[in-house]
Amino acid sequence: MIDPSELKTIGLTPAIYCSDQAVFHVTRGVPLGDALGMASDFLFLAEALSKDAAYDRESDRYTWAARYLTALSKALVDDVGKVLTRGPALRKEQAAE
C-alpha cells in the first residue's frame, strides 16, 4: 500500500481558457498536500478580494483577480480528486516513478 503522503498530482487538469484552449494546467508531480495547501491559499486570497469587491463599486479588478484565483484553486482540487479516485493502478504508477 502506498503512503498517502507519497501521492502526487497527475497534471491532467486545465485551468483558465482563452479561445477554447487551456492557458494553464496543473503541474504533474506536486505532492497532494502541497497542492491542497496552495488551493487553500488561493481561496483565502479570492475570499479577501471578493470582500473588497463588494465595497469597491468603481472597479472590477478585485472580481477578476478572485475569479482567476478560484479557477486555479478548482483545477488543483480537481487534479487531487482525480488521483484519489482513479484507484490503485494510478497509485502504483506513481510509486514506480
Side-chain angles (χ1 to χ4, degrees):
M1 180 156 209
I2 293 179
D3 181 357
S5 66
E6 294 178 14
L7 295 175
K8 297 181 167 85
T9 56
I10 54 176
L12 296 178
T13 308
I16 304 175
Y17 287 80
C18 183
S19 300
D20 295 329
Q21 187 172 14
V23 177
F24 297 100
H25 281 83
V26 173
T27 300
R28 180 184 177 105
V30 176
L32 295 192
D34 293 346
L36 290 174
M38 183 58 64
S40 178
D41 290 346
F42 285 162
L43 289 170
F44 173 81
L45 292 170
E47 189 269 337
L49 289 168
S50 296
K51 198 180 296 183
D52 289 346
Y55 294 108
D56 187 355
R57 303 281 185 216
E58 303 299 317
S59 174
D60 63 355
R61 70 177 179 254
Y62 299 115
T63 305
W64 283 105
R67 183 227 180 272
Y68 290 125
L69 288 166
T70 303
L72 294 171
S73 301
K74 181 181 181 330
L76 283 167
V77 171
D78 288 352
D79 204 79
V80 167
K82 288 173 186 171
V83 171
L84 296 176
T85 59
R86 288 188 69 179
L90 177 64
R91 290 193 274 280
K92 284 180 186 174
E93 177 185 317
Q94 284 191 342
E97 291 178 354

